[in-house]
Amino acid sequence: PPPPQETADSGARSQPSAVDQPSPEGEPQLIALPPEGGELYGPLWSPAGDQVAFCSFVDDPANAVAHASVSLYTPKERKLSALLTRTGEPKTFHRIEHVAWSPTGDRLVVSELVGLYESEGDLVGWVMPASGRKPLELPGDTELPCWSPDGKRLARLRLDQTREEPRHYIDVVPADARSEDQSHLVVRPGEFEFIDDVVWSPDGRALLCLASRKTKAVVAVARVGDGPAEPRVVAELGQAFGFGTRLVWSNDGKRAILADNTELLFIDVRSGKVDRRQFPGEVVGYSADAEVTAFLVEDRLNVVVRGNESPQMLLELDNVEDKPVDVVFTPDLSKLVICADGKLWLHEFAKG
């Protein structure tokens, strides 16, 4: 595919619009609305917590075309800017599937589904500066790319379609890779039926993945070495979680964390022991080490700090049954962004 466009009149339909309307003190502020007929999704804070990246998507079945974009919002300046715009001729399809910041916040990696309208399409990866200029296309298909802690490598899911049943596998490539020859296989095809998420260990020596094996969910660790290694299954979780379930490796390297409806699961990476923390509603977001958790009770979004039994109600939402709710926190826990009903809100916590 051609390189992503930085800005284009033809891509205006995929661009969100900024909202600069103060909210009552202590309440979340609406900061962005979706393009007409579109949706916003996938918010992610930069490592410094000074910008949030998010995606937009517009499906136009009348013209058999789908548009996509990635935008950046800077809270300090109340500024909304376009990072990239993906548009096409009629009968083409573009959707941003995943965005991840580099550890230093100067680059992003983007995974895009692109193809003919109503076809399966291909997953293409791009690495680009936070300015959006001069993107580099990664070799081979790229799904759920994630940065190594030193920002030099990317782990990603690939799909082996040579078998009767396609199977996921994992490889690692340099962040500036230009050839498939630079790909390093970590988890072979066939180890798992499908892989739902993959993250690096804090020391950059291993990968943690949430996967399906014999229709059941497992959390497994694979060492990143000179060749593919047999993954070590840390815990068997029974039910399958589904693609898009977020997996976190705690900063101390001791626990895997993921949400299961109204619970957070804390899995000891060494022993496989699973501890569960129950919440009054569906968990829709949590900070890196789960110090703060966001959950829904009917249409009310609440947050609670670990060790505090008194949740704070932040926002009443619409259409929570029709569209997913996503909440992400800044690394210093001073702010959060709420993506719900295709819109974006910003909330800043009171100091202390």
Side-chain angles (χ1 to χ4, degrees):
Q5 302 170 33
E6 296 161 24
T7 57
D9 292 340
S10 61
R13 286 204 54 192
S14 67
Q15 293 297 324
S17 55
V19 178
D20 192 8
Q21 182 177 340
S23 297
E25 186 175 353
E27 294 185 12
Q29 177 188 357
L30 183 64
I31 58 173
L33 294 172
E36 183 180 353
E39 61 176 312
L40 306 182
Y41 60 97
L44 185 69
W45 284 102
S46 63
D50 57 351
Q51 288 185 304
V52 60
F54 63 96
C55 308
S56 65
F57 173 72
V58 178
D59 188 6
D60 181 4
N63 294 303
V65 63
H67 311 278
S69 68
V70 178
S71 300
L72 298 179
Y73 181 79
T74 308
K76 187 175 181 180
E77 303 172 5
R78 294 186 177 182
K79 180 182 177 182
L80 181 66
S81 56
L83 176 65
L84 67 89
T85 300
R86 293 298 279 151
T87 63
E89 299 297 324
K91 299 184 180 181
T92 62
F93 184 95
H94 296 272
R95 181 179 172 90
I96 306 300
E97 295 292 311
H98 184 74
V99 177
W101 289 90
S102 67
T104 53
D106 61 333
R107 292 171 295 166
L108 298 98
V109 61
V110 175
S111 177
E112 175 197 10
L113 182 63
V114 57
L116 297 177
Y117 196 81
E118 296 185 342
S119 71
E120 292 186 1
D122 297 310
L123 284 163
V124 180
W126 305 93
V127 174
M128 64 186 66
S131 65
R133 297 181 180 274
K134 296 183 179 179
L136 169 71
E137 182 180 350
L138 293 169
D141 56 304
T142 298
E143 187 173 4
L144 285 180
C146 58
W147 295 88
S148 62
D150 62 8
K152 295 180 179 180
R153 297 169 293 170
L154 291 162
R156 58 184 181 172
L157 302 187
R158 309 285 302 275
L159 194 62
D160 176 16
Q161 302 192 59
T162 62
R163 301 163 177 258
E164 184 176 346
E165 294 289 337
R167 291 290 183 262
H168 272 134
Y169 64 99
I170 300 174
D171 74 356
V172 170
V173 292
D176 60 355
R178 297 178 181 275
S179 167
E180 284 271 29
D181 294 338
Q182 296 174 274
S183 168
H184 169 68
L185 183 64
V186 177
V187 175
R188 298 181 184 90
E191 292 283 359
F192 305 107
E193 282 87 34
F194 293 100
I195 301 173
D196 299 316
D197 199 9
V198 59
V199 293
W200 286 85
S201 63
D203 62 10
R205 296 179 180 178
L207 296 171
L208 185 72
C209 62
L210 175 65
S212 298
R213 177 176 280 179
K214 296 180 180 179
T215 72
K216 293 184 178 180
V218 298
V219 171
V221 173
R223 304 297 295 181
V224 179
D226 295 330
E230 183 177 350
R232 176 177 66 87
V233 174
V234 174
E236 296 183 357
L237 303 178
Q239 78 280 14
F241 281 78
F243 189 76
T245 301
R246 179 188 175 214
L247 182 65
V248 171
W249 201 328
S250 63
N251 291 328
D252 61 11
K254 295 180 179 180
R255 300 180 300 172
I257 307 171
L258 70 156
D260 180 14
N261 197 3
T262 61
E263 294 181 320
L264 274 183
L265 276 59
F266 298 86
I267 304 166
D268 188 295
V269 175
R270 288 190 176 181
S271 69
K273 180 184 177 183
V274 180
D275 293 322
R276 297 174 181 266
R277 186 180 302 164
Q278 183 74 42
F279 293 86
E282 179 189 359
V283 175
V284 292
Y286 50 95
S287 58
D289 281 331
E291 302 97 331
V292 186
T293 302
F295 61 91
L296 281 173
V297 177
E298 295 180 346
D299 60 351
R300 298 183 301 277
L301 179 66
N302 303 266
V303 293
V304 64
V305 178
R306 186 166 59 199
N308 185 339
E309 301 302 323
S310 301
Q312 176 187 356
M313 201 279 281
L314 288 185
L315 193 64
E316 289 195 25
L317 301 168
D318 298 322
N319 302 323
V320 294
E321 295 181 358
D322 299 330
K323 295 182 179 181
V325 177
D326 197 2
V327 178
V328 290
F329 299 84
T330 54
D332 65 1
L333 305 183
S334 64
K335 298 184 286 291
L336 62 78
V337 155
I338 305 161
C339 188
D341 193 23
K343 305 170 187 174
L344 215 64
W345 284 266
L346 171 70
H347 180 72
E348 299 191 37
F349 292 105
K351 292 184 178 180

